[in-house]
Amino acid sequence: MSKGAEVTLSRRDLLKAGAAGAVGIATVGGATAIVRPAVAGAQGPHVVRGGREHIHAMGTMGDVDTSLFDPTTFLEHFDWGTVSILPDGRTLRHYQITALDRPIEVVPGVHFEAWTYNGTVPGPTLRCTEGDRLRIDFTNAGSHPHTIHFHGIHPANMDGVFEIVKPDESFTYEFDAKPAGVQLYHCHAAPLKRHLHKGLYGAFIIDPKDPPLAPARELVMVMNGFDTNFDGKNEVYAVNSVAFHYQRHPIRLEVGEAVRLYLVNMTEFDLINSFHLHGNFFKYWRTGTRPDHYDYTDNVMLCQGERGMMEFSFEHPGLFMFHAHQSEFAELGWMGLFEVTGGVVV
Amino acid sequence: MAALAEERTRDGPAEAATRTPLWLKGVLPLLLLVVLLLLFLSAGPLGVFRTAFPPVEELTLERISFPEPGRMRIHVVNGGPEPVTISQVMVDDAYWAFTLAGNATLQRLDDTTIEVPYPWVRGEPVTVTLISSSGVTFTHEVPVATESPRADRRYLSTFALLGIYVGVVPVFLGLLWLPFLRGVSRGWTDFFLSLTMGLLVFLGVDALAEAVAMSGRVASAFQGIGLVTLGVVGTPLVIEAVGRLRRPSGGMGGEALRAAVLIALGIGLHNLGEGLAIGSAYAAGELALGSALVIGFLLHNTTEGIGIVAPLARQPVRIAMLVRLGALAGTPTILGAWIGGLSYSPVATVLFLAIGAGAAIQVVLTLARLLARREGGLARPLNAAGLVAGLVIMYVTGLWVAV
């Protein structure tokens, strides 16, 4: 560490961080500092100093315990259910979901008393194909009445609104998976605001049957926030719950690798949230329901409950940021990095 | 006397019968308290004490300073009943890197300093929020960020000069009224004594109100109102008691000098509080030291000088004594400004303000006793008018210094 720097980073740590790419945020040994290699792709970062040798050090200190919930694993983990074939030849997918009260670590060292589906926030990403029969056994092991309200087309008594499931009770939802697209599920017990911001939500993806989507690296990001002091405002913003997780642990991609990202906005209290990708553009299908109708952009805005599907691949290697384009959300945790490797270094 | 003797004889046999020494009688309840506490601690919390209440966390951000551009320092104290772990720091709604001196978990009454490499903007507000392990937040807003004073020659000399302007000069100017007071009749001397009383009633109430207002910024464990009570009630009693121990000889003349010394001491303590307020407001970026404010303090404090010499109107006094009285009343402003600017602490500020208020009360009591022996006392129309005039003078000159 060169003289005059205030943050306790070792020289080795900085080199390690700087080797990661062009311009980026390195998080090492608990401290965060912007590092900038002298030449893109080259070794030897410099800590950026202001006129009076200060370090811009936006971000949190330390890391969360990922043994109970790892956002990196969650990104690509899908619950396909237990599959069986019905007499009429259709696929039956059987899911188990339990509501549990559990503290979760949303910022290093900060624990939020969450209400969860299967112990995690977001709940498991349910995955199926258009036309499948879905059966979801829901048990409420939490301390308050809950439901599961799925977005989709289904009978009224399967809507998870009026059939309140009290603690220690169960309910089975059964319906056909439609329409194809990016859907979501969440608790619909009152008060809604509390049941949602406490963490009872998840992504629900119905793949189109005909034609199926082209193969791609598939990622799920649920945009959310946490009101840790219960003042009706979020202290933490993130995708997949942990502030700055993908900044501390960048998502590794290859140059040219096809990426499909399912984005769901479950942020409570704030009217909108957004997703901005650096150094790239993406195709964006709102709700993922109309293959012929998409945007080509680098920034999308979503209302609560709104979701979409995007596809992109990187032309250049290096560290590329993605974050809410509301600076406040970004600086309160909703910020991450793609670390793109391979290809020709220009 | 007979009753007392009887009581003593009644006490005697009782003590002899139990053979318990007196000190043990005094200490016994305390011993039992210790035993009870030990039992409670070893048996663990019982029943209602064990219910799972959410932790009551309380942190007080006592001071935020800006040692240099790009760096800020937060001084925080745990004034709540439970230990609190500081997990993250937010500045202006952004998580920020920080270094924390010692353990991030603060026990009750523990304090620590957090250094944040934040590029604060001169002249703009900064809001700092600490977030605890349970997600509770503690926020402090600095209305105007400005580089904090350092204990260098520039700062010390600037504030010494300021103290001289707003504390020493006006007091000495006020002392120059002594020849005038000597010339007026006894009735008018009493008028000026009453006027001094009015000035000090105003100062006392003002300091008390400040102390009460500031007590809200004190961590609750340090009981702001308790500090105010201690200062306001304790100060006059201590000054009175000390005064009685060292009663100067010389009858009436000695008593007048004693009154003058007590008034100078009271005003000095008041000015210490005033200096603290100026220094800390400057350090906290809440005060622009404009010349209007300095002029205001000049006017305001000149009246304090009359107060000191008013009791001395009818007796000879050496110049050296007058200088000492002036210094006693005026120089604490400099000291206060230094302390306030360099190591501002809500606890010390509340205590000093309360001591200042208590000192003013003591002076008022002294003057009241002095006047009571004069013809007509305070009820005399001229004296009553003097008291009201004192209040009005403070109010009007205060129009320039209200910040």
Side-chain angles (χ1 to χ4, degrees):
Chain A
M1 193 72 215
S2 56
K3 228 181 94 192
E6 303 294 337
V7 178
T8 49
L9 295 172
S10 76
R11 180 171 166 72
R12 195 179 61 83
D13 283 339
L14 269 182
L15 284 173
K16 199 168 66 184
V23 178
I25 304 272
T27 308
V28 244
T32 312
I34 290 187
V35 289
R36 181 178 62 192
V39 183
Q43 302 272 319
H46 299 281
V47 171
V48 178
R49 295 204 180 94
R52 300 283 203 87
E53 295 218 319
H54 65 250
I55 299 174
H56 296 278
M58 198 274 295
T60 49
M61 302 287 283
D63 204 348
V64 300
D65 174 9
T66 51
S67 63
L68 291 167
F69 175 72
D70 185 350
T72 299
T73 321
F74 177 86
L75 208 55
E76 299 181 71
H77 185 81
F78 300 96
D79 185 348
W80 298 89
T82 310
V83 178
S84 56
I85 305 298
L86 290 168
D88 63 359
R90 292 164 64 203
T91 303
L92 172 73
R93 293 186 187 273
H94 198 165
Y95 304 89
Q96 309 288 337
I97 294 187
T98 306
L100 288 167
D101 296 0
R102 227 199 67 189
I104 58 168
E105 197 176 358
V106 291
V107 178
V110 179
H111 295 266
F112 177 77
E113 295 294 331
W115 294 344
T116 71
Y117 288 129
N118 286 2
T120 65
V121 178
T125 301
L126 306 183
R127 190 86 188 255
C128 59
T129 306
E130 191 180 5
D132 288 349
R133 187 72 178 165
L134 308 182
R135 184 178 295 157
I136 300 104
D137 288 334
F138 174 53
T139 306
N140 184 359
S143 56
H144 285 255
H146 298 305
T147 69
I148 307 179
H149 163 68
F150 291 89
H151 285 223
I153 301 168
H154 48 240
N157 63 349
M158 291 294 133
D159 198 39
V161 172
F162 305 111
E163 297 73 21
I164 298 293
V165 185
K166 290 182 184 142
D168 299 322
E169 289 184 358
S170 298
F171 189 87
T172 300
Y173 300 93
E174 194 168 328
F175 50 86
D176 294 337
K178 67 178 179 182
V182 189
Q183 316 296 358
L184 65 147
Y185 64 92
H186 58 85
C187 181
H188 217 291
L192 259 181
K193 203 160 59 180
R194 182 155 299 244
H195 284 252
L196 286 181
H197 101 255
K198 286 283 246 179
L200 291 168
Y201 46 79
F204 169 41
I205 297 164
I206 304 176
D207 292 324
K209 196 169 184 128
D210 197 25
L213 296 170
R217 172 89 178 273
E218 296 195 312
L219 311 171
V220 174
M221 291 190 189
V222 179
M223 302 195 280
N224 52 1
F226 296 94
D227 175 16
T228 66
N229 61 3
F230 300 96
D231 64 349
K233 283 179 284 185
N234 290 313
E235 276 67 45
V236 180
Y237 293 89
V239 277
N240 303 338
S241 300
V242 180
F244 298 113
H245 177 83
Y246 302 114
Q247 187 167 299
R248 286 188 295 270
H249 309 278
I251 300 166
R252 291 166 181 278
L253 299 176
E254 295 284 327
V255 166
E257 184 180 14
V259 179
R260 180 175 299 124
L261 198 155
Y262 298 100
L263 185 68
V264 181
N265 179 22
M266 284 312 300
T267 315
E268 191 56 70
F269 306 120
D270 296 287
L271 298 179
I272 53 158
N273 205 329
S274 60
F275 179 101
H276 166 54
L277 182 61
H278 280 220
N280 211 344
F281 264 61
F282 51 81
K283 286 183 180 174
Y284 181 73
W285 291 265
R286 190 166 178 262
T287 327
T289 43
R290 287 185 58 189
D292 57 329
H293 192 88
Y294 60 84
D295 260 2
Y296 188 60
T297 180
D298 66 351
N299 196 9
V300 286
M301 179 179 90
L302 293 85
C303 172
Q304 191 190 39
E306 205 173 338
R307 63 278 181 194
M309 184 177 88
M310 64 182 71
E311 287 182 0
F312 55 86
S313 64
F314 276 94
E315 288 180 27
H316 303 284
L319 277 177
F320 294 96
M321 233 182 211
F322 61 94
H323 57 84
H325 217 301
Q326 285 105 317
S327 317
E328 184 199 352
F329 296 4
E331 293 189 324
L332 287 173
W334 178 176
M335 190 182 263
L337 292 168
F338 287 115
E339 186 183 343
V340 185
T341 52
V344 182
V345 179
V346 182
Chain B
M1 208 61 194
L4 222 136
E6 198 181 285
E7 199 159 42
R8 205 170 285 150
T9 49
R10 221 175 341 118
D11 245 18
E15 199 175 317
T18 53
R19 290 184 193 285
T20 317
L22 187 63
W23 66 267
L24 190 58
K25 287 183 186 171
V27 168
L28 190 66
L30 288 177
L31 284 176
L32 287 175
L33 179 67
V34 170
V35 170
L36 191 73
L37 279 175
L38 288 175
L39 272 175
F40 187 81
L41 289 175
S42 61
L46 320 151
V48 65
F49 303 113
R50 198 159 34 197
T51 27
F53 292 119
V56 185
E57 297 187 338
E58 192 201 304
L59 287 180
T60 304
L61 286 76
E62 286 204 307
R63 185 170 74 246
I64 295 175
S65 55
F66 305 90
E68 63 187 39
R71 212 149 63 80
M72 47 196 280
R73 190 176 292 147
I74 307 157
H75 187 248
V76 58
V77 60
N78 177 5
E82 298 282 331
V84 181
T85 302
I86 299 167
S87 290
Q88 299 293 341
V89 175
M90 281 183 235
V91 186
D92 289 340
D93 283 337
Y95 285 103
W96 217 264
F98 62 94
T99 46
L100 192 147
N103 199 332
T105 301
L106 300 184
Q107 303 296 324
R108 178 171 171 82
L109 300 184
D110 274 3
D111 63 332
T112 190
T113 304
I114 302 169
E115 296 268 350
V116 185
Y118 186 80
W120 53 273
V121 179
R122 189 191 305 269
E124 291 183 8
V126 176
T127 304
V128 173
T129 299
L130 304 182
I131 183 162
S132 81
S133 56
S134 64
V136 179
T137 56
F138 307 94
T139 300
H140 185 88
E141 193 194 323
V142 178
V144 184
T146 179
E147 209 157 326
S148 300
R150 254 175 298 179
D152 54 12
R153 241 173 88 179
R154 198 184 131 265
Y155 176 80
L156 291 179
S157 57
T158 303
F159 272 72
L161 197 65
L162 183 78
I164 288 169
Y165 264 115
V166 307
V168 181
V169 169
V171 167
F172 276 97
L173 279 178
L175 294 182
L176 293 179
W177 262 303
L178 185 58
F180 167 76
L181 289 174
R182 293 229 157 121
V184 300
S185 69
R186 180 168 278 275
W188 279 98
T189 316
D190 287 356
F191 169 84
F192 283 107
L193 279 176
S194 310
L195 183 127
T196 306
M197 253 182 98
L199 305 178
L200 281 145
V201 167
F202 192 95
L203 288 183
V205 172
D206 190 51
L208 183 61
E210 289 268 316
V212 170
M214 272 298 297
S215 67
R217 277 165 75 170
V218 171
S220 65
F222 294 116
Q223 311 146 71
I225 290 296
L227 282 176
V228 174
T229 313
L230 197 65
V232 170
V233 177
T235 306
L237 290 176
V238 168
I239 296 178
E240 280 285 308
V242 170
R244 250 164 238 276
L245 286 178
R246 283 192 64 240
R247 186 182 283 272
S249 54
M252 191 62 193
E255 183 154 2
L257 186 59
R258 193 168 74 96
V261 171
L262 288 180
I263 290 171
L265 180 65
I267 288 173
L269 286 172
H270 166 81
N271 282 347
L272 183 70
E274 197 167 82
L276 269 174
I278 294 173
S280 59
Y282 177 78
E286 290 166 1
L287 179 67
L289 287 170
S291 43
L293 193 71
V294 174
I295 291 169
F297 272 115
L298 244 163
L299 288 173
H300 200 62
N301 290 359
T302 303
T303 52
E304 291 170 356
I306 315 176
I308 298 169
V309 289
L312 300 174
R314 299 281 150 211
Q315 67 163 74
V317 60
R318 275 172 300 147
I319 297 290
M321 178 49 102
L322 276 181
V323 170
R324 268 184 273 164
L325 288 174
L328 182 61
T331 47
T333 316
I334 303 172
L335 193 67
W338 284 347
I339 300 173
L342 296 175
S343 71
Y344 167 78
S345 125
V347 172
T349 306
V350 166
L351 191 61
F352 279 121
L353 283 170
I355 288 174
I361 288 171
Q362 201 282 330
V363 175
V364 169
L365 287 175
T366 307
L367 288 171
R369 276 198 300 256
L370 215 63
L371 277 170
R373 281 184 230 147
R374 303 284 169 84
E375 191 196 323
L378 252 184
R380 202 165 143 253
L382 193 58
N383 290 355
L387 200 151
V388 174
L391 294 175
V392 170
I393 287 173
M394 281 320 242
Y395 180 81
V396 173
T397 55
L399 291 174
W400 278 274
V401 288
V403 271

Short mmCIF file of all heavy atoms in Angstrom, two decimals, chain B residues 101-130:
data_model
loop_
_atom_site.label_atom_id
_atom_site.label_comp_id
_atom_site.label_asym_id
_atom_site.label_seq_id
_atom_site.Cartn_x
_atom_site.Cartn_y
_atom_site.Cartn_z
N ALA B 101 -12.17 2.67 15.43
CA ALA B 101 -11.15 2.45 16.47
C ALA B 101 -11.67 1.42 17.47
O ALA B 101 -12.68 1.65 18.11
CB ALA B 101 -10.83 3.76 17.17
N GLY B 102 -10.97 0.30 17.58
CA GLY B 102 -11.33 -0.71 18.58
C GLY B 102 -12.48 -1.59 18.13
O GLY B 102 -12.64 -1.88 16.94
N ASN B 103 -13.29 -1.99 19.09
CA ASN B 103 -14.35 -2.96 18.86
C ASN B 103 -15.60 -2.29 18.28
O ASN B 103 -16.00 -1.23 18.73
CB ASN B 103 -14.70 -3.60 20.21
CG ASN B 103 -15.45 -4.91 20.03
OD1 ASN B 103 -16.14 -5.11 19.02
ND2 ASN B 103 -15.32 -5.79 21.00
N ALA B 104 -16.21 -2.94 17.28
CA ALA B 104 -17.41 -2.38 16.66
C ALA B 104 -18.63 -2.55 17.57
O ALA B 104 -19.65 -1.93 17.35
CB ALA B 104 -17.67 -3.04 15.32
N THR B 105 -18.51 -3.42 18.58
CA THR B 105 -19.60 -3.58 19.53
C THR B 105 -19.34 -2.68 20.73
O THR B 105 -18.36 -2.84 21.45
CB THR B 105 -19.71 -5.04 19.99
OG1 THR B 105 -19.93 -5.85 18.84
CG2 THR B 105 -20.87 -5.22 20.96
N LEU B 106 -20.24 -1.72 20.92
CA LEU B 106 -20.09 -0.78 22.02
C LEU B 106 -20.98 -1.21 23.18
O LEU B 106 -22.19 -1.35 23.02
CB LEU B 106 -20.48 0.64 21.60
CG LEU B 106 -19.70 1.28 20.44
CD1 LEU B 106 -20.16 2.71 20.23
CD2 LEU B 106 -18.21 1.24 20.72
N GLN B 107 -20.36 -1.41 24.33
CA GLN B 107 -21.14 -1.68 25.54
C GLN B 107 -21.74 -0.36 26.02
O GLN B 107 -21.40 0.70 25.51
CB GLN B 107 -20.24 -2.27 26.63
CG GLN B 107 -19.52 -3.54 26.22
CD GLN B 107 -20.45 -4.70 25.93
OE1 GLN B 107 -21.49 -4.85 26.58
NE2 GLN B 107 -20.12 -5.52 24.93
N ARG B 108 -22.62 -0.45 27.01
CA ARG B 108 -23.21 0.77 27.56
C ARG B 108 -22.12 1.75 27.99
O ARG B 108 -21.15 1.35 28.65
CB ARG B 108 -24.09 0.40 28.77
CG ARG B 108 -24.72 1.59 29.46
CD ARG B 108 -25.73 1.10 30.50
NE ARG B 108 -26.22 2.17 31.35
CZ ARG B 108 -27.19 3.00 31.01
NH1 ARG B 108 -27.77 2.88 29.85
NH2 ARG B 108 -27.59 3.94 31.84
N LEU B 109 -22.25 2.98 27.56
CA LEU B 109 -21.34 4.09 27.87
C LEU B 109 -19.99 4.01 27.14
O LEU B 109 -19.15 4.88 27.31
CB LEU B 109 -21.10 4.25 29.38
CG LEU B 109 -22.35 4.54 30.21
CD1 LEU B 109 -21.96 4.78 31.66
CD2 LEU B 109 -23.12 5.74 29.68
N ASP B 110 -19.80 2.97 26.31
CA ASP B 110 -18.59 2.92 25.49
C ASP B 110 -18.68 3.98 24.40
O ASP B 110 -19.77 4.32 23.95
CB ASP B 110 -18.48 1.55 24.78
CG ASP B 110 -17.79 0.52 25.65
OD1 ASP B 110 -17.46 0.88 26.80
OD2 ASP B 110 -17.61 -0.62 25.19
N ASP B 111 -17.53 4.46 23.98
CA ASP B 111 -17.55 5.37 22.84
C ASP B 111 -16.43 4.99 21.88
O ASP B 111 -15.52 4.23 22.23
CB ASP B 111 -17.40 6.82 23.28
CG ASP B 111 -16.07 7.10 23.95
OD1 ASP B 111 -15.52 6.15 24.55
OD2 ASP B 111 -15.59 8.22 23.88
N THR B 112 -16.54 5.46 20.65
CA THR B 112 -15.51 5.16 19.66
C THR B 112 -15.49 6.25 18.61
O THR B 112 -16.36 7.11 18.56
CB THR B 112 -15.74 3.78 19.01
OG1 THR B 112 -14.59 3.45 18.24
CG2 THR B 112 -16.96 3.78 18.10
N THR B 113 -14.45 6.19 17.79
CA THR B 113 -14.29 7.16 16.71
C THR B 113 -14.25 6.41 15.39
O THR B 113 -13.56 5.40 15.27
CB THR B 113 -12.99 7.96 16.91
OG1 THR B 113 -13.05 8.56 18.20
CG2 THR B 113 -12.85 9.03 15.87
N ILE B 114 -15.01 6.90 14.43
CA ILE B 114 -15.05 6.27 13.12
C ILE B 114 -14.49 7.25 12.09
O ILE B 114 -14.91 8.40 12.04
CB ILE B 114 -16.50 5.88 12.74
CG1 ILE B 114 -17.09 4.94 13.79
CG2 ILE B 114 -16.56 5.26 11.36
CD1 ILE B 114 -18.58 4.73 13.64
N GLU B 115 -13.53 6.77 11.31
CA GLU B 115 -12.95 7.60 10.26
C GLU B 115 -13.57 7.20 8.93
O GLU B 115 -13.63 6.02 8.60
CB GLU B 115 -11.43 7.38 10.19
CG GLU B 115 -10.67 7.79 11.42
CD GLU B 115 -10.19 9.24 11.35
OE1 GLU B 115 -10.26 9.86 10.27
OE2 GLU B 115 -9.73 9.74 12.40
N VAL B 116 -14.03 8.17 8.18
CA VAL B 116 -14.67 7.88 6.89
C VAL B 116 -13.97 8.69 5.80
O VAL B 116 -13.91 9.91 5.87
CB VAL B 116 -16.17 8.24 6.92
CG1 VAL B 116 -16.84 7.82 5.63
CG2 VAL B 116 -16.86 7.62 8.11
N PRO B 117 -13.42 8.00 4.78
CA PRO B 117 -12.78 8.72 3.68
C PRO B 117 -13.84 9.24 2.71
O PRO B 117 -14.01 8.71 1.62
CB PRO B 117 -11.88 7.66 3.04
CG PRO B 117 -12.56 6.37 3.34
CD PRO B 117 -13.34 6.55 4.61
N TYR B 118 -14.56 10.27 3.11
CA TYR B 118 -15.68 10.75 2.30
C TYR B 118 -15.37 12.13 1.72
O TYR B 118 -14.98 13.04 2.46
CB TYR B 118 -16.95 10.83 3.15
CG TYR B 118 -18.18 11.19 2.36
CD1 TYR B 118 -18.84 10.22 1.62
CD2 TYR B 118 -18.66 12.49 2.32
CE1 TYR B 118 -19.96 10.54 0.87
CE2 TYR B 118 -19.79 12.82 1.57
CZ TYR B 118 -20.42 11.84 0.84
OH TYR B 118 -21.53 12.15 0.10
N PRO B 119 -15.56 12.30 0.41
CA PRO B 119 -15.27 13.60 -0.21
C PRO B 119 -16.38 14.61 0.05
O PRO B 119 -17.13 14.97 -0.85
CB PRO B 119 -15.15 13.26 -1.70
CG PRO B 119 -15.99 12.05 -1.88
CD PRO B 119 -15.97 11.29 -0.58
N TRP B 120 -16.47 15.07 1.28
CA TRP B 120 -17.51 16.03 1.65
C TRP B 120 -17.29 17.35 0.92
O TRP B 120 -16.18 17.68 0.51
CB TRP B 120 -17.55 16.24 3.16
CG TRP B 120 -16.24 16.59 3.78
CD1 TRP B 120 -15.29 15.72 4.23
CD2 TRP B 120 -15.72 17.89 4.01
NE1 TRP B 120 -14.21 16.40 4.72
CE2 TRP B 120 -14.45 17.74 4.60
CE3 TRP B 120 -16.20 19.18 3.79
CZ2 TRP B 120 -13.66 18.82 4.97
CZ3 TRP B 120 -15.41 20.27 4.16
CH2 TRP B 120 -14.15 20.08 4.74
N VAL B 121 -18.39 18.09 0.76
CA VAL B 121 -18.33 19.34 0.01
C VAL B 121 -18.44 20.51 0.97
O VAL B 121 -19.40 20.60 1.74
CB VAL B 121 -19.46 19.40 -1.04
CG1 VAL B 121 -19.40 20.71 -1.81
CG2 VAL B 121 -19.37 18.21 -1.98
N ARG B 122 -17.47 21.39 0.93
CA ARG B 122 -17.45 22.54 1.82
C ARG B 122 -18.71 23.38 1.63
O ARG B 122 -19.11 23.67 0.50
CB ARG B 122 -16.23 23.39 1.52
CG ARG B 122 -15.97 24.51 2.52
CD ARG B 122 -14.91 25.45 1.99
NE ARG B 122 -13.68 24.74 1.63
CZ ARG B 122 -12.68 24.55 2.48
NH1 ARG B 122 -12.75 25.01 3.69
NH2 ARG B 122 -11.61 23.90 2.11
N GLY B 123 -19.34 23.72 2.75
CA GLY B 123 -20.51 24.61 2.68
C GLY B 123 -21.82 23.90 2.42
O GLY B 123 -22.86 24.54 2.34
N GLU B 124 -21.78 22.57 2.24
CA GLU B 124 -23.02 21.84 2.01
C GLU B 124 -23.29 20.90 3.18
O GLU B 124 -22.38 20.51 3.90
CB GLU B 124 -22.93 21.07 0.69
CG GLU B 124 -22.91 22.03 -0.50
CD GLU B 124 -22.90 21.32 -1.85
OE1 GLU B 124 -23.05 20.08 -1.88
OE2 GLU B 124 -22.73 22.03 -2.85
N PRO B 125 -24.55 20.52 3.37
CA PRO B 125 -24.86 19.62 4.49
C PRO B 125 -24.34 18.20 4.27
O PRO B 125 -24.17 17.79 3.12
CB PRO B 125 -26.39 19.63 4.55
CG PRO B 125 -26.88 20.40 3.40
CD PRO B 125 -25.73 20.91 2.61
N VAL B 126 -24.10 17.51 5.34
CA VAL B 126 -23.70 16.10 5.28
C VAL B 126 -24.54 15.35 6.30
O VAL B 126 -24.69 15.79 7.44
CB VAL B 126 -22.21 15.91 5.65
CG1 VAL B 126 -21.86 14.44 5.66
CG2 VAL B 126 -21.32 16.63 4.67
N THR B 127 -25.10 14.22 5.88
CA THR B 127 -25.88 13.40 6.79
C THR B 127 -25.18 12.06 6.97
O THR B 127 -24.87 11.39 5.99
CB THR B 127 -27.30 13.18 6.24
OG1 THR B 127 -27.88 14.44 6.00
CG2 THR B 127 -28.15 12.42 7.25
N VAL B 128 -24.92 11.71 8.20
CA VAL B 128 -24.25 10.45 8.49
C VAL B 128 -25.23 9.52 9.20
O VAL B 128 -25.93 9.95 10.12
CB VAL B 128 -23.02 10.67 9.39
CG1 VAL B 128 -22.43 9.35 9.83
CG2 VAL B 128 -21.98 11.51 8.66
N THR B 129 -25.30 8.29 8.74
CA THR B 129 -26.17 7.30 9.36
C THR B 129 -25.35 6.06 9.70
O THR B 129 -24.63 5.55 8.84
CB THR B 129 -27.33 6.91 8.41
OG1 THR B 129 -28.10 8.07 8.13
CG2 THR B 129 -28.23 5.86 9.04
N LEU B 130 -25.44 5.63 10.94
CA LEU B 130 -24.81 4.37 11.33
C LEU B 130 -25.90 3.32 11.37
O LEU B 130 -27.01 3.60 11.83
CB LEU B 130 -24.15 4.48 12.71
CG LEU B 130 -23.14 5.60 12.90
CD1 LEU B 130 -22.56 5.54 14.31
CD2 LEU B 130 -22.03 5.49 11.87
#
